[in-house]
């Protein structure tokens, strides 16, 4: 079977970050011999094994070019569409972007949630989503531009907070000023224990965020 990536090639695993293909091997699964990529994710010191046939479906891709990385950075300071105050809707929209995993999608999440946090403190899940997206963005852009994560972190902050100006969305769509607070009153008790566990990891994956989200899917609004 032909493979898209080769051993020692850097790739991006959506929701996990930049990794390196360290092996391509065959393994038996349900009486079928499948070809796998073994990918090492440096930021989380984790090894994942992905069937070659599923790589596209999972969104695994090569690192963007330097030009695309610069475009993603510039997107952080651009104006954007109104932000809904319905945090659960906002969260799901951004989670969908994270699963798509393009560098511009991740930059859009960082821009959205950073600017929302300047209006009102983010709920727990959104704060974790923001932290995860920001780390993923720093990770890929640092490789694409050949700079350290610290340098890229500073560049991201500069784009989000241009000197002499504060970036603002065009306007906020306000559904209910107390909506975030009412929702979080229902969620806080359920989230507290898992919140401590998530804080121990460097990157929050899509699966972890979705699992935590399922804990309160049945809550009434």
């Amino acid at each position: 079977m032909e493979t898209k990536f080769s051993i020692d090639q850097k790739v991006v695993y959506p929701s996990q970050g930049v990794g390196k293909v360290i092996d391509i091997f065959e393994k038996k699964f349900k009486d079928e011999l499948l070809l796998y990529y073994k990918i090492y994710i440096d930021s989380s010191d984790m090894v994942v094994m992905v069937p070659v046939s599923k790589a596209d479906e999972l969104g695994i891709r090569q690192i963007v070019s330097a030009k695309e990385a610069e475009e993603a950075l510039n997107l952080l300071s651009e104006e954007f569409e109104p932000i809904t105050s319905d945090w659960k809707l906002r969260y799901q929209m951004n989670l969908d972007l994270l699963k798509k995993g393009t560098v511009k999608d991740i930059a859009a999440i960082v821009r959205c949630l950073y600017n929302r946090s300047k209006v009102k403190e983010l709920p727990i899940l959104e704060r974790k989503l923001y932290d995860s997206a920001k780390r993923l963005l720093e990770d890929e852009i640092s490789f694409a531009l050949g700079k350290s994560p610290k340098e890229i972190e500073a560049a991201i902050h500069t784009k989000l907070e241009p000197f002499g100006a504060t970036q603002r969305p065009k306007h906020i769509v306000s559904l209910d000023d107390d909506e975030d607070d009412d929702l979080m009153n229902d969620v806080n008790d359920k989230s507290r224990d898992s919140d401590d566990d998530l804080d121990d990891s460097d990157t929050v994956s899509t699966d972890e965020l979705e699992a935590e989200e399922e804990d309160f899917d049945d809550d009434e609004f």
Side-chain angles (χ1 to χ4, degrees):
M1 182 178 180
E2 193 171 325
T3 60
K4 187 175 182 179
F5 308 113
S6 57
I7 293 177
D8 291 334
Q9 183 174 354
K10 297 283 188 181
V11 296
V12 175
Y13 193 130
S15 83
Q16 298 297 328
V18 175
K20 182 171 76 171
V21 178
I22 58 176
D23 195 12
I24 300 174
F25 65 98
E26 290 185 326
K27 182 181 178 182
K28 201 167 188 178
F29 179 74
K30 294 183 178 179
D31 297 324
E32 184 180 359
L33 199 60
L34 299 179
L35 196 61
Y36 283 80
Y37 292 119
K38 182 182 285 188
I39 302 172
Y40 175 69
I41 311 294
D42 183 66
S43 62
S44 55
D45 192 27
M46 176 176 66
V47 173
V48 295
M49 293 185 295
V50 179
V52 169
S53 61
K54 295 285 186 181
D56 285 342
E57 182 182 329
L58 292 171
I60 295 174
R61 57 178 175 78
Q62 63 182 9
I63 294 174
V64 295
S65 66
K67 179 183 177 182
E68 291 172 298
E70 291 286 2
E71 288 173 351
L73 277 175
N74 290 334
L75 184 147
L76 295 172
S77 57
E78 293 177 3
E79 289 191 340
F80 54 100
E81 293 303 313
I83 304 173
T84 176
S85 65
D86 181 341
W87 82 268
K88 195 171 184 183
L89 175 60
R90 190 173 63 230
Y91 173 82
Q92 187 59 55
M93 291 170 63
N94 283 321
L95 187 62
D96 290 342
L97 286 178
L98 187 69
K99 287 188 284 187
K100 285 174 64 179
T102 72
V103 70
K104 287 188 176 180
D105 287 331
I106 295 171
I109 296 170
V110 172
R111 178 184 63 184
C112 169
L113 295 183
Y114 179 82
N115 282 282
R116 177 59 190 178
S117 72
K118 294 174 71 66
V119 176
K120 189 172 186 179
E121 184 178 355
L122 296 175
I124 293 170
L125 286 179
E126 280 199 305
R127 175 173 54 81
K128 293 184 180 300
L129 182 58
Y130 170 77
D131 290 342
S132 181
K134 185 168 175 285
R135 289 190 190 100
L136 292 171
L137 190 65
E138 292 168 359
D139 196 19
E140 180 167 7
I141 291 181
S142 68
F143 277 101
L145 297 182
K147 296 183 178 180
S148 71
K150 286 292 184 184
E151 288 177 295
I152 299 304
E153 182 180 17
I156 288 173
H157 180 74
T158 298
K159 292 293 184 180
L160 291 169
E161 289 283 357
F163 293 114
T166 301
Q167 174 66 18
R168 296 291 186 186
K170 293 177 182 176
H171 61 281
I172 303 294
V173 176
S174 181
L175 300 181
D176 185 340
D177 289 340
D178 295 326
E179 185 177 67
D180 287 356
D181 295 332
D182 291 341
L183 283 169
M184 289 313 298
N185 286 338
D186 293 332
V187 175
N188 276 339
D189 290 339
K190 297 179 183 179
S191 298
R192 191 170 291 113
D193 293 338
S194 54
D195 182 46
D196 291 338
D197 293 336
L198 285 170
D199 280 337
D200 292 335
S201 70
D202 288 336
T203 301
V204 182
S205 70
T206 300
D207 292 340
E208 289 171 315
L209 289 163
E210 286 181 317
E212 191 167 339
E213 179 188 19
E214 287 172 2
D215 289 342
F216 60 85
D217 276 343
D218 296 330
D219 289 347
E220 295 181 359
F221 295 85

